Amino acid sequence: MTESMLQYSDVEQAAARLAGAAHRTPVLTSATADARTGARLFFKCENYQRMGAFKFRGAFNAIARFTDAQRAAGVLTFSSGNHAQAIALSARLAGIRATIIMPNDAPALKVQATKEYGGEVIFYDRYTENREEIANRLAAERGMTLIPPYDHPDVICGQGTAARELFEDVGPLDILLVPLGGGGLLAGSALAASGLSPDCKVIGVEPEAGNDGQQSLRKGEIVHIGVPKTIADGAMVTHVGEHNFEVIRRRVDDIVTVTDAQLVETMKFFAERMKMVVEPTGCLGAAAALCGVVPVAGKRVGVLISGGNVDLSRFGELVA
Ligand SMILES: *Cc1c(COP(=O)(O)O)cnc(C)c1O
């Protein structure tokens, strides 16, 4: 499968593989959020997905397509957190081995959960070492299949099933706001929109400290930056993926940025008003609507809440 062939039907096939394995997460609304923005907001709550983030969808979909030979050797990946847990859990469900290469400063909760799901964790230094190099070497040595966190067709199509469910549940939308790191969720969501709500504007939202996606969309080619310093640990990537950009450049309307302060404000809003714990990265899309970054008044707006995995002590520090 090549990237240019990715289309809505691939997301449908992923949805069939995920049926019965992934939760169909709730879509919540908030009268307060609607009053504040003048929009009708629909929050797709992937913080309630298995292992606490949408990443279960892509990981499970990718592993579900393994051949017997691939299953026998196991799966390997690199991740700063949620994809690690997603691969570890999906591998356990499939009954295969998983090795995960994680930065040594990954949130403790995410490291612990990955180990609890039975994944073997190998640490590296994200500021001095190249994780893809380490991953490729280990994969070759062990014969394991590398499933990267975003730059993979099966991962993209799995992630797209969240937006697919949202459109199925609430119908066509005017705008869809999607957190953006490496672009798995954004590319998959754009494919879902192309099939179910073709007039919907799909907008990626990334941290201001790491606007490589925005630069890439404007330039028409993938722009690389240094590791961004942001509280959005799930979006600390240096560039979007190639398979991802191929979809993003064709199907995404805009990419905007929000500040860490806006993410904190949004975390507080979710905790106080909607009684929800959302991790900083999970707030990217919502912050764009709630903090006025994207004009949404009068529109029907989908907001992907991508995850809820944050250490409670860290959560306390941030919202204090
Ligand atoms: C991985 C992740 C993102 C970014 O997803 P990409 O597919 O890399 O763009 C956003 N939010 C959360 C909670 C994540 O774990």
Side-chain angles (χ1 to χ4, degrees), residues 166-173 196-197 300:
L166 174 61
F167 290 121
E168 278 184 348
D169 287 357
V170 307
L173 295 166
L196 295 179
S197 186
R300 282 167 51 81

Side-chain angles (χ1 to χ4, degrees), residues 51-55 79-83 110 149-150 155 159 178-187 233-235 237 240 244 248 279-284 305-309:
M51 51 61 56
F54 71 92
K55 289 227 173 56
S79 167
S80 60
N82 284 332
H83 179 67
K110 295 182 178 179
Y150 47 83
V155 171
Q159 317 305 32
V178 185
L180 169 58
L185 187 61
L186 181 58
D233 58 273
V237 302
V240 299
N244 312 74
I248 290 169
E279 63 182 279
T281 318
C283 290
L284 282 165
I305 297 180
S306 51
N309 292 329

